[in-house]
Amino acid sequence: MEIKLNKLLTKNKSLILTYDHGLEHGPAEFNLRNIDTDYILNIALKGRFSAVALQSGLAEKYFHNYRKKIPLIVKLNGKTNISQVEPVSRQICSVKRAVKLGADAVGYTIYLGSDFENVMFSEFGKIAEEAHDFRIPVIAWMYPRGKGIGNDRSTEILAYAARAGLELGADFVKVAYNHDAEGGPKKENKDTLQCTAEVMKAGAAGLAVGRSVWQHEEPLKMAAALKRIVFENKSVNEAMKALK
Amino acid sequence: MEIKLNKLLTKNKSLILTYDHGLEHGPAEFNLRNIDTDYILNIALKGRFSAVALQSGLAEKYFHNYRKKIPLIVKLNGKTNISQVEPVSRQICSVKRAVKLGADAVGYTIYLGSDFENVMFSEFGKIAEEAHDFRIPVIAWMYPRGKGIGNDRSTEILAYAARAGLELGADFVKVAYNHDAEGGPKKENKDTLQCTAEVMKAGAAGLAVGRSVWQHEEPLKMAAALKRIVFENKSVNEAMKALK
Amino acid sequence: MEIKLNKLLTKNKSLILTYDHGLEHGPAEFNLRNIDTDYILNIALKGRFSAVALQSGLAEKYFHNYRKKIPLIVKLNGKTNISQVEPVSRQICSVKRAVKLGADAVGYTIYLGSDFENVMFSEFGKIAEEAHDFRIPVIAWMYPRGKGIGNDRSTEILAYAARAGLELGADFVKVAYNHDAEGGPKKENKDTLQCTAEVMKAGAAGLAVGRSVWQHEEPLKMAAALKRIVFENKSVNEAMKALK
Amino acid sequence: MEIKLNKLLTKNKSLILTYDHGLEHGPAEFNLRNIDTDYILNIALKGRFSAVALQSGLAEKYFHNYRKKIPLIVKLNGKTNISQVEPVSRQICSVKRAVKLGADAVGYTIYLGSDFENVMFSEFGKIAEEAHDFRIPVIAWMYPRGKGIGNDRSTEILAYAARAGLELGADFVKVAYNHDAEGGPKKENKDTLQCTAEVMKAGAAGLAVGRSVWQHEEPLKMAAALKRIVFENKSVNEAMKALK
Amino acid sequence: MEIKLNKLLTKNKSLILTYDHGLEHGPAEFNLRNIDTDYILNIALKGRFSAVALQSGLAEKYFHNYRKKIPLIVKLNGKTNISQVEPVSRQICSVKRAVKLGADAVGYTIYLGSDFENVMFSEFGKIAEEAHDFRIPVIAWMYPRGKGIGNDRSTEILAYAARAGLELGADFVKVAYNHDAEGGPKKENKDTLQCTAEVMKAGAAGLAVGRSVWQHEEPLKMAAALKRIVFENKSVNEAMKALK
C-alpha cells in the first residue's frame, strides 16, 4: 500500500509554505496584505511551493479556487499561545474531512515531553493509520516543550524529536533548526538563505517556511531564492541574485 | 458543497436576537414578561430579526409555533456562571438534534485561552464537520477567558479570538466589542445605537443583541432603530427617530 | 414528536414517590419495613401516586409485578454521600435499559455549579435526546452544589436551578423548596402539609416526596392528605382530616 | 428476561472460591503449590465449590479443561496494591470476552466513596446491562475505600456498600464481614468456621473464600467443613469433624 | 481458539531482538550504523532471532523487505523519557494496523504501580481481546514504576509484575532481571552471557536483548553466543567461543 509522497516533492525535496500562525500566535504578526489567505495562496501558487499548510477553517473558506493547483496540507490540530498549562494540542479536524477539503497530506503537532504527550501520541497514532488508509502522508510537527525540558533547541533534543516522529509513523518530520532558520521573527535575507543552505547540507528533505516569505516585501523573489538552494543545490550567493 | 448562509442574512448583514442568558447568567435578569420565551420569539418575529439564538431546551418547548417563520440558531453548549474553575463549556445538544428542532445554524462558545481550550477546540471541530455535512453554518462565540488572560477586552485579544474562530472553521464569529455595545448591563438607547454604528463601520457582518432589546420597554422600536443602522446604513440620529 | 407527559399527571399535577435514598444516603434511614422495596411499591400502588422513582437495580429486581400498574421513573445516575470531592454523579443506566425495565420517564441529577457541572450537562444532553426519541419525558433533579456556592437554598439560586433545567431540555424539574418541605429529615405532619400547600400555591406542577411518606407510620393516610392538597386544591386543615 | 442465577447456587446458597490475589496483592502470599492455577481449579472441582472467581488471564490459560465442570466467575476489573492514589479499578475484560471464556457470571469491584467512585459506577452500569443481556448474573465486590472513609469495617458503611450494590443492579454483593471472616491473613480453622457460621446466621446467601482454603494444608477438608455450615446448616463443632 | 505462539519459539524458547530505544530513550544511544533500521533487521535475519520488536513507524517504513523472513512484534505503545509526571504510555497503534504491518505478535508496556496503571490495564485488556481474536499473542512489558515504588528491582516487585502480566492475559511477560542482564548500558561480553545463563536457569522462556547485540562490534557473533545458551543449553564458556 503505497503512500503518495510525490505530490509534495520536487527532485525528492520539498519547500512548504506554512500559514498556521493565525491560530498559534494570533494575528498580531499579520499586516493588511498577509492577513488575507488569498494573498498567501497566490504566493504558494506563483512561487510554485511544494505545498501550503493551513488549518481546516482556512482550507474550507479559501482553498477551492486553488484545488489541484497547489498541494494542500491540512493541519489537524492547533492551540493558542495564551494558556500557560502544559502544552496540549488536540485534533480539530478529522482525516476524512481534510481529504474532503482537498488535502494531499495532513499535519499534526506533538509537544514531545509535555505532561500530555500521551494524549497527542494516541491521537497521532489513529491519524497515521487513517491517513495511510487514504494513502496520504502525515507530517509530524515535533516540538519538544513542557516543564520537563530546559533548552529545547539542543541538538540532542531535536534529534530525539525527529526520531520519535519516525517511530510514531510520520512520513515527514518538521523540527526546529538550532541555528534558527525558522521559528524566530523574520530575519535578514542573507541569514535566512544561509540557514537554508545549512539545513539542506545537514540532510533535510526540505524546509517549511512561513514569515520569512509572506512577511517579505517581495515574497516571490524570496521564494525563488530559497528554491535555488533547496531544489537546485545553488550557493547562498547565487540564491541572493534572485532577490535583486 | 455550499453552506446555507443566506437564511441568516439580509443585504449581507445580520441582526441576531440572543436569549441564552437563562443558562449563562441565571434568571435574575428576567422580569415577568421577558422570562417567557414566547415573548422573546414574538419580538424576533415581529421585529424581523435575522435569527433567534436559543438553547435546545427552549427550542424544543417553544419554537414549533415559529418554525419557518424565524430562522433559528441552536446553542450547542453552555454553562452556569457559578463554578469558579477554569471555564469550560461542553456540548449539550448534538447537531442532529438541533436540525430536528429546526435549526438553520448552530452556535458554540469557545473560551479561548482557558486551560480547557483544547476540549472545546476538539468538540468544535466535530461540530463544524457535522454541521457542514448538513450544510448549515456554525457560529462561534469566541470569548477569551481564563487565568492566562488579563484584560480580555484588548483589541489584540479580540482580534485573536476572531481569527481563531475563522481558522477553526466557523462561518460567523461573535466577539465582544471593546467599546462594549453588548455584554454589560442594558444601556441608554443612544449609547447602544452609537456602539452599533461603530461596530458596523468597523466592518462587522452584523450584531447579536439580547438585553438591549428584550429588556427594553418597547423592544420592537429598539429593533427598528437597530435595523436602520445595520441594514440601511442610517445615522444614529435617524435611527433614534424609530424610538419615538 | 409528542413527548408522553400524561402518564405522570393527574389534572395536570403530579405527586411522585421517590426512593433513591439507599444509594444517595445509605440505608441508615431505613427501618425493617421500608428497607423493602415491595413495601414502597405497595404504598405507591395503593396510595395511587403519580409515579415512583427508583434506581435501575431496584427497578430490575422488584418492579415487574407492578408494571403497568404504577408509572415508573428510572433514575439514571447516582452517587454515595461519602466522598468529599466536588460533587459529580455519572450515568449508570442507559435510556434504552430504563425503557426495557418499564420506565415511563427517566431522571438525572445535575449538581449545578460543581466543578464537574460540564460532565453532567454533557451526559444530560445525550439523555434528553435519547429519551425524547423514545418519546418519554426527562426529569432533572437540579441541585446547586459545590465549593462555588454558599447558601444553596437562596431563592435566587433555586430559580437558577429551575431555569437551567428548562434550558437543558428537561420536561420536569425537581428543585428544593427553600421553606424546606422535602430534603431535611421527616417532619411533623402539619408542617409537611403546610409546605406542600405553599409549594402548590407557588405554582409547582407537583411534588416529589420520600421520607415524609414512607417513614410515616401510616403512609397511605399521609398520601391521602397530600393528594387532597396537590390534586384537589384543599386547605391544610381539610387535608389533616385524612390523617385521622 | 430471566437471569441465570442457579448455576451459582446449591439449596439457594453459594460458596465461591476466589483466586484474584495474584493481581490484587501480588504473589507473595502464594507458595509453590498454590501459585499454580491448576492446583486451585482442582480444589474447586473436587471440593465442589459453587464457583471459582478468576481474572480473564487465568481463565484463558487454565480454565478450558474445567469448562462445564466448575461454574466460572470472571473478574472484569482489578488493580495492584502499589499505587497510593485514591483507589480506582478499571474494566480490563469485556463481558463478551468473559462469556467466550466460559463465564457463568462476571464480577466487578467498586471502591465506594473513592474520589473515582463515579468512574466505577459508570462502568458497572454498562456491565450490568450487557451481562443481563447475556442473562448472566453480576457480582459486585463492594469495598468502601478512600480518604473520605475512616473505619471501613463499621456496620453502617458495610450496610451502605451492600445496599449500593443492590441499587446499582448487582445480582450478588460481596462485602467484608466486620468480624473479619475473610480479608485478613489466614486464621485458625475454628475461627474461620465460627465466622462462617455467624455470616450465614446473619442472612448471607453464602461466602467467598480464598486463602482460608487454598493456603490450608488440606484444602478439601476445609472445603468440606465450610460446606457443612453453608449448605447443611451444621454447627461449628460438627463442621470441625470434617477437618480430622 | 488456539493462539499462534509457535512463530516466536524455537525448542520452546525465544530470543527477541528489541529496537524500541529510539522512542523510549532517544537516539543518543545510536551510532551511524545502528541508527539504521535496516542494519538491525539484517542482524535479526542473519542472526536468526526468534523475532524483532519495533514501533509501528519503523515497521511500516522498513519491514516490508523482511516480511515472512523474520517474525515481527509491533510495540503498540511508547513514551519518551522526558516528562517527569507519573509514567503513562498510551496506545499508538491498533492491533488491526499491527496485523496489516505483518505482526506475528503485539507488545504493550504497563507501568505497574503508576498512578495511571488503570489507564494501561484498561487499554491492555482491549488489546489482549482483539489480538486473541486475530489469534496472535500479546507480550506485556511489565515495568514497576512510579512514586509508590521504591526499589523497583526487588525480587518481590518483579514477581508481582510477572504475575500481573499473566492475570491480565499476556502470553509472554517481559520483566527486568534483577542481576541486570538487560536494561542498563551495554556490558562486557562475559557478564551478558553469565546473566543470560542465570535467567534461563531461573526458568525464563527466553530473553529480549537490545543494546547488548546491536551496540556490539560483531552483533552476529554475540547472537551466536546467546543462542548457544538459550536454545542449546550450553555453558557460558562454550558460548564464549562463538565470540572469537
Side-chain angles (χ1 to χ4, degrees):
Chain A
M1 195 167 48
E2 204 62 41
I3 294 158
K4 296 174 187 167
L5 303 174
N6 287 333
K7 289 208 170 169
L8 306 185
L9 296 169
T10 305
K11 300 181 189 169
N12 234 19
K13 300 291 177 195
S14 195
L15 184 65
I16 294 167
L17 189 64
T18 61
Y19 187 61
D20 58 352
H21 307 69
L23 185 58
E24 301 291 336
H25 304 274
E29 300 178 348
F30 296 145
N31 62 23
L32 289 181
R33 286 197 309 180
N34 59 39
I35 202 172
D36 178 9
T37 307
D38 264 316
Y39 179 76
I40 305 299
L41 289 169
N42 259 300
I43 295 171
L45 180 67
K46 291 179 185 154
R48 299 201 184 178
F49 278 83
S50 306
V52 63
L54 302 173
Q55 282 287 343
S56 56
L58 297 187
E60 196 176 31
K61 297 280 180 290
Y62 296 96
F63 190 70
H64 51 276
N65 288 330
Y66 303 85
R67 211 166 167 148
K68 310 214 162 166
K69 295 176 192 159
I70 318 165
L72 173 67
I73 299 159
V74 172
K75 284 287 300 278
L76 301 185
N77 65 342
K79 64 178 216 34
T80 68
N81 63 10
I82 305 172
S83 173
Q84 301 302 316
V85 283
E86 276 290 281
V88 59
S89 186
R90 295 268 304 276
Q91 188 172 3
I92 297 161
C93 175
S94 71
V95 174
K96 193 178 144 196
R97 186 181 179 203
V99 169
K100 268 195 210 171
L101 296 173
D104 299 292
V106 291
Y108 188 91
T109 301
I110 292 176
Y111 295 110
L112 204 79
S114 159
D115 290 357
F116 299 112
E117 177 191 283
N118 69 91
V119 173
M120 292 172 279
F121 275 21
S122 167
E123 283 199 349
F124 185 83
K126 289 181 197 118
I127 285 167
E129 178 167 3
E130 200 179 344
H132 290 177
D133 281 347
F134 279 108
R135 299 178 56 195
I136 64 172
V138 179
I139 305 173
W141 269 245
M142 299 299 292
Y143 293 159
R145 206 68 54 92
K147 61 178 182 284
I149 295 179
N151 174 14
D152 70 354
R153 292 284 173 102
S154 69
T155 299
E156 192 187 31
I157 204 79
L158 294 181
Y160 200 162
R163 180 73 187 198
L166 170 67
E167 301 241 355
L168 293 168
D171 302 290
F172 296 89
V173 174
K174 176 181 185 297
V175 292
Y177 178 57
N178 53 10
H179 292 175
D180 211 13
E182 170 72 2
K186 194 181 88 69
K187 312 185 204 215
E188 290 308 306
N189 295 334
K190 189 153 188 181
D191 287 351
T192 301
L193 297 173
Q194 188 64 50
C195 281
T196 302
E198 285 179 32
V199 163
M200 296 311 293
K201 194 172 287 172
L207 253 86
V209 291
R211 286 165 289 193
S212 314
V213 170
W214 48 255
Q215 284 182 350
H216 200 280
E217 58 278 15
E218 300 204 69
L220 295 178
K221 286 192 174 172
M222 191 60 185
L226 287 164
K227 287 187 293 182
R228 288 192 183 188
I229 296 169
V230 173
F231 299 123
E232 298 171 33
N233 201 19
K234 295 275 172 67
S235 72
V236 173
N237 283 339
E238 282 175 291
M240 283 295 285
K241 291 177 192 160
L243 286 166
K244 281 177 191 151
Chain B
M1 195 167 48
E2 204 62 42
I3 294 159
K4 295 174 188 168
L5 303 175
N6 287 333
K7 289 208 171 169
L8 305 185
L9 296 169
T10 305
K11 299 180 190 170
N12 233 20
K13 299 292 177 194
S14 195
L15 183 65
I16 293 167
L17 189 65
T18 60
Y19 186 61
D20 58 352
H21 307 68
L23 184 58
E24 299 291 336
H25 305 274
E29 300 178 346
F30 296 146
N31 62 24
L32 290 181
R33 286 197 308 181
N34 59 39
I35 202 172
D36 177 7
T37 307
D38 264 317
Y39 178 76
I40 306 299
L41 289 169
N42 258 300
I43 294 170
L45 181 66
K46 291 178 185 154
R48 299 200 184 178
F49 277 82
S50 305
V52 64
L54 303 173
Q55 282 287 343
S56 57
L58 297 187
E60 197 176 29
K61 297 281 181 288
Y62 295 96
F63 191 71
H64 52 275
N65 288 330
Y66 304 85
R67 212 165 166 148
K68 309 214 163 167
K69 294 175 192 161
I70 319 166
L72 173 68
I73 299 159
V74 172
K75 283 287 299 280
L76 301 186
N77 65 342
K79 66 177 216 32
T80 68
N81 62 12
I82 304 172
S83 174
Q84 301 302 316
V85 282
E86 276 291 281
V88 59
S89 187
R90 295 268 305 276
Q91 187 172 4
I92 298 161
C93 175
S94 71
V95 174
K96 194 178 144 196
R97 186 180 179 205
V99 169
K100 268 194 209 170
L101 295 173
D104 299 292
V106 291
Y108 187 91
T109 301
I110 292 176
Y111 294 110
L112 204 80
S114 159
D115 288 356
F116 299 113
E117 177 191 283
N118 67 90
V119 173
M120 293 173 277
F121 276 21
S122 167
E123 284 200 349
F124 186 83
K126 289 181 197 118
I127 285 167
E129 178 166 3
E130 200 179 344
H132 290 177
D133 282 347
F134 279 108
R135 300 178 57 195
I136 64 171
V138 179
I139 305 172
W141 268 244
M142 299 299 293
Y143 293 159
R145 207 69 51 93
K147 63 178 181 284
I149 294 179
N151 173 15
D152 70 354
R153 291 284 172 102
S154 69
T155 297
E156 193 188 28
I157 204 79
L158 294 180
Y160 199 162
R163 180 73 187 198
L166 170 68
E167 302 242 354
L168 293 168
D171 303 291
F172 296 89
V173 173
K174 177 180 184 300
V175 293
Y177 177 57
N178 53 11
H179 291 175
D180 210 15
E182 170 71 0
K186 194 181 87 68
K187 309 184 203 217
E188 290 309 305
N189 295 333
K190 189 150 189 182
D191 287 351
T192 303
L193 297 174
Q194 188 63 50
C195 280
T196 303
E198 284 180 33
V199 164
M200 296 311 294
K201 195 171 287 171
L207 252 85
V209 291
R211 285 166 290 193
S212 314
V213 169
W214 48 254
Q215 284 183 350
H216 200 279
E217 59 277 14
E218 301 204 69
L220 294 179
K221 286 190 175 171
M222 191 58 186
L226 288 164
K227 287 188 293 183
R228 287 190 185 187
I229 296 170
V230 173
F231 299 122
E232 299 170 35
N233 201 19
K234 295 274 170 69
S235 72
V236 172
N237 283 338
E238 282 175 291
M240 282 296 284
K241 290 177 192 160
L243 286 167
K244 280 174 192 155
Chain C
M1 195 168 48
E2 204 63 40
I3 294 159
K4 295 174 189 170
L5 304 174
N6 286 333
K7 289 208 172 169
L8 304 185
L9 295 170
T10 305
K11 298 179 189 170
N12 234 18
K13 300 291 177 194
S14 195
L15 183 65
I16 293 167
L17 189 65
T18 60
Y19 187 62
D20 58 351
H21 307 68
L23 184 58
E24 300 291 336
H25 305 273
E29 300 177 348
F30 295 146
N31 61 24
L32 290 181
R33 286 197 307 180
N34 59 39
I35 203 171
D36 178 6
T37 307
D38 265 315
Y39 178 77
I40 305 300
L41 288 169
N42 259 300
I43 294 170
L45 181 67
K46 291 177 184 155
R48 299 201 183 178
F49 277 83
S50 305
V52 64
L54 303 173
Q55 283 287 343
S56 57
L58 297 187
E60 197 176 30
K61 296 282 180 288
Y62 296 95
F63 190 70
H64 52 275
N65 288 329
Y66 304 85
R67 212 166 167 148
K68 308 215 164 164
K69 294 176 192 160
I70 318 166
L72 173 67
I73 299 159
V74 172
K75 283 287 299 281
L76 301 185
N77 65 341
K79 65 178 217 30
T80 67
N81 62 11
I82 304 171
S83 173
Q84 302 302 317
V85 282
E86 275 291 281
V88 59
S89 187
R90 294 268 306 275
Q91 187 172 4
I92 298 162
C93 175
S94 72
V95 173
K96 195 179 144 196
R97 186 181 179 203
V99 168
K100 268 194 210 171
L101 296 173
D104 299 292
V106 291
Y108 187 91
T109 301
I110 292 175
Y111 294 109
L112 204 80
S114 159
D115 289 357
F116 299 113
E117 177 191 282
N118 68 90
V119 174
M120 293 172 277
F121 275 22
S122 166
E123 284 200 348
F124 185 83
K126 288 180 199 120
I127 285 168
E129 179 166 2
E130 200 179 344
H132 290 177
D133 282 348
F134 278 109
R135 298 178 57 196
I136 63 171
V138 179
I139 305 173
W141 268 244
M142 298 299 294
Y143 293 158
R145 208 67 54 91
K147 62 177 183 283
I149 294 180
N151 173 15
D152 69 355
R153 290 286 172 100
S154 70
T155 298
E156 193 187 28
I157 204 79
L158 295 181
Y160 199 163
R163 180 73 186 197
L166 170 68
E167 302 242 354
L168 293 168
D171 301 292
F172 295 89
V173 173
K174 177 180 184 299
V175 292
Y177 178 58
N178 53 11
H179 292 175
D180 211 14
E182 170 71 1
K186 195 182 87 68
K187 308 184 205 219
E188 291 308 305
N189 294 334
K190 188 151 187 181
D191 288 352
T192 302
L193 297 174
Q194 188 64 49
C195 281
T196 303
E198 284 179 33
V199 164
M200 295 311 294
K201 194 172 284 170
L207 252 84
V209 291
R211 287 166 288 192
S212 314
V213 168
W214 49 254
Q215 283 182 350
H216 200 280
E217 58 277 14
E218 301 203 71
L220 294 178
K221 285 190 175 172
M222 192 58 187
L226 288 164
K227 287 188 294 183
R228 286 190 185 187
I229 295 169
V230 172
F231 298 123
E232 298 171 34
N233 201 21
K234 294 274 170 70
S235 73
V236 172
N237 283 339
E238 282 176 290
M240 283 294 284
K241 291 178 193 161
L243 286 168
K244 283 177 192 153
Chain D
M1 195 167 48
E2 205 61 40
I3 295 158
K4 295 175 189 169
L5 304 174
N6 287 333
K7 290 209 171 169
L8 305 185
L9 295 170
T10 305
K11 299 181 190 169
N12 233 21
K13 300 291 176 194
S14 194
L15 184 66
I16 293 167
L17 189 65
T18 60
Y19 187 62
D20 58 351
H21 308 68
L23 184 57
E24 301 291 336
H25 304 274
E29 301 179 347
F30 297 146
N31 61 24
L32 290 180
R33 285 197 307 178
N34 58 39
I35 203 171
D36 178 7
T37 307
D38 265 316
Y39 178 76
I40 306 299
L41 288 169
N42 259 300
I43 295 171
L45 181 67
K46 291 179 185 155
R48 298 201 184 177
F49 276 82
S50 306
V52 64
L54 302 174
Q55 282 287 343
S56 56
L58 297 188
E60 197 175 29
K61 296 283 180 288
Y62 296 95
F63 190 70
H64 51 276
N65 288 331
Y66 303 85
R67 211 164 168 150
K68 308 215 163 164
K69 295 177 192 161
I70 318 166
L72 173 68
I73 300 160
V74 172
K75 283 287 302 280
L76 301 185
N77 66 341
K79 65 179 216 32
T80 68
N81 62 11
I82 304 171
S83 173
Q84 301 302 316
V85 282
E86 275 290 281
V88 59
S89 186
R90 294 268 305 275
Q91 187 172 5
I92 298 162
C93 175
S94 71
V95 174
K96 195 179 143 196
R97 186 181 178 204
V99 169
K100 268 195 211 170
L101 296 173
D104 299 292
V106 291
Y108 187 91
T109 300
I110 292 175
Y111 294 110
L112 204 79
S114 158
D115 289 357
F116 299 113
E117 176 192 282
N118 67 91
V119 173
M120 292 172 277
F121 275 22
S122 166
E123 284 198 348
F124 186 83
K126 287 181 199 118
I127 286 167
E129 179 166 2
E130 201 180 343
H132 290 177
D133 282 347
F134 279 108
R135 299 178 56 197
I136 64 171
V138 180
I139 305 174
W141 269 245
M142 298 299 293
Y143 292 159
R145 208 67 54 92
K147 61 178 182 284
I149 295 180
N151 173 13
D152 70 354
R153 290 284 172 102
S154 69
T155 298
E156 192 186 29
I157 204 77
L158 295 181
Y160 200 163
R163 179 74 187 197
L166 170 67
E167 302 242 353
L168 293 169
D171 302 292
F172 296 88
V173 173
K174 176 179 184 299
V175 292
Y177 178 57
N178 53 11
H179 293 175
D180 212 13
E182 170 72 1
K186 195 180 88 68
K187 310 186 205 215
E188 291 308 305
N189 294 334
K190 188 152 187 179
D191 288 351
T192 302
L193 297 174
Q194 189 63 49
C195 281
T196 303
E198 285 180 33
V199 163
M200 296 311 293
K201 195 172 284 170
L207 253 85
V209 291
R211 288 166 288 192
S212 314
V213 169
W214 48 255
Q215 283 183 350
H216 200 281
E217 59 278 13
E218 301 204 69
L220 294 178
K221 286 191 176 171
M222 192 59 185
L226 288 164
K227 285 188 294 181
R228 287 192 184 186
I229 295 170
V230 172
F231 298 123
E232 298 170 35
N233 201 21
K234 294 273 171 70
S235 72
V236 172
N237 282 339
E238 283 176 291
M240 283 293 285
K241 290 178 193 161
L243 287 167
K244 284 180 192 151
Chain E
M1 196 167 48
E2 205 62 40
I3 294 158
K4 295 175 189 169
L5 304 174
N6 287 333
K7 290 209 171 169
L8 306 185
L9 295 169
T10 305
K11 300 181 190 170
N12 233 20
K13 300 291 177 195
S14 195
L15 184 65
I16 293 167
L17 189 65
T18 61
Y19 187 62
D20 57 353
H21 307 68
L23 185 56
E24 301 291 336
H25 304 274
E29 299 177 349
F30 296 146
N31 61 24
L32 289 181
R33 285 196 308 178
N34 58 38
I35 202 172
D36 177 8
T37 308
D38 265 316
Y39 178 76
I40 306 299
L41 289 169
N42 259 301
I43 294 171
L45 180 66
K46 290 178 185 156
R48 299 201 184 177
F49 278 82
S50 306
V52 64
L54 303 173
Q55 282 287 343
S56 57
L58 297 187
E60 196 176 31
K61 297 281 180 290
Y62 295 95
F63 190 69
H64 52 275
N65 288 331
Y66 303 85
R67 212 166 167 149
K68 309 214 162 164
K69 294 176 193 161
I70 318 165
L72 173 67
I73 298 160
V74 172
K75 282 286 300 280
L76 300 185
N77 65 342
K79 64 179 217 33
T80 68
N81 63 10
I82 304 171
S83 173
Q84 301 302 316
V85 282
E86 275 290 281
V88 60
S89 186
R90 294 268 304 277
Q91 187 172 3
I92 297 161
C93 175
S94 71
V95 174
K96 193 178 145 196
R97 186 180 179 204
V99 169
K100 269 194 211 171
L101 296 174
D104 298 292
V106 291
Y108 188 91
T109 301
I110 293 176
Y111 294 109
L112 205 79
S114 158
D115 289 357
F116 299 113
E117 176 191 282
N118 68 91
V119 173
M120 291 172 280
F121 275 22
S122 167
E123 283 199 349
F124 185 82
K126 289 181 197 118
I127 285 167
E129 179 167 1
E130 201 179 344
H132 291 177
D133 282 348
F134 278 108
R135 299 178 56 196
I136 64 172
V138 179
I139 305 173
W141 269 244
M142 300 298 294
Y143 292 159
R145 207 68 53 93
K147 62 177 181 283
I149 296 180
N151 173 14
D152 70 354
R153 291 285 172 103
S154 69
T155 298
E156 192 187 29
I157 205 77
L158 295 180
Y160 199 163
R163 179 74 188 198
L166 170 67
E167 302 242 353
L168 293 168
D171 303 291
F172 295 89
V173 174
K174 177 181 184 299
V175 292
Y177 178 57
N178 53 11
H179 293 175
D180 212 12
E182 170 73 2
K186 194 180 89 68
K187 312 186 204 215
E188 291 309 306
N189 295 334
K190 189 154 189 180
D191 288 351
T192 301
L193 297 173
Q194 188 63 51
C195 281
T196 302
E198 284 179 32
V199 163
M200 296 311 292
K201 193 172 287 170
L207 253 86
V209 291
R211 287 165 289 192
S212 314
V213 169
W214 49 254
Q215 284 183 350
H216 200 280
E217 58 278 14
E218 300 203 70
L220 293 178
K221 287 192 175 171
M222 190 60 184
L226 288 164
K227 286 188 294 182
R228 288 193 182 186
I229 296 169
V230 172
F231 298 123
E232 299 170 34
N233 202 20
K234 295 273 171 70
S235 71
V236 172
N237 283 339
E238 284 177 289
M240 284 294 285
K241 292 177 192 159
L243 286 167
K244 283 178 190 150

